[in-house]
Amino acid sequence: MPGDVLELRLDGQLFGSYHHGPDLARPYLAPLLDGAGRQVTCDPGPPDHPHHRGVWIGHRDVGGVDHWTEFAGHGRIAHLGFDEVGPAVIRERLEWL
């Protein structure tokens, strides 16, 4: 799996993995698991939408830059660091490039 990963746990049970490495177009959450441990997200997405990985934030046009797809010339949402990681909060700094 490319990039850095933050495992998210609830009562000790894994419910998701947050990918935020420098080689990614944008951070994303995958897999996301339900209470029974079943995966409810895909990673990568279907062949015609490989940029659809798990749960992520993006937009097709941010100041004229594509932050949705991974076509040539797309933008990047860079992880700068976590300000807080705790049992009920994750606060992260991002830069939309």
Side-chain angles (χ1 to χ4, degrees):
M1 244 177 258
D4 300 327
V5 179
L6 175 65
E7 288 189 342
L8 307 174
R9 297 183 177 275
L10 183 61
D11 294 331
Q13 181 178 356
L14 180 70
F15 74 88
S17 296
Y18 186 70
H19 303 261
H20 56 87
D23 52 339
L24 300 174
R26 68 196 56 81
Y28 66 95
L29 176 64
L32 182 61
L33 308 173
D34 69 9
R38 295 175 297 221
Q39 186 170 330
V40 297
T41 56
C42 60
D43 178 27
D48 62 337
H49 286 76
H51 57 284
H52 285 195
R53 292 180 181 91
V55 178
W56 50 276
I57 301 294
H59 196 279
R60 182 70 169 166
D61 182 358
V62 177
V65 178
D66 174 11
H67 285 281
W68 186 268
T69 72
E70 292 182 22
F71 297 140
H74 68 82
R76 187 169 162 285
I77 303 172
H79 167 83
L80 301 180
F82 292 109
D83 290 329
E84 183 177 359
V85 176
V89 64
I90 296 173
R91 192 178 341 232
E92 176 185 28
R93 283 175 284 115
L94 300 168
E95 184 174 13
W96 291 53
L97 305 169

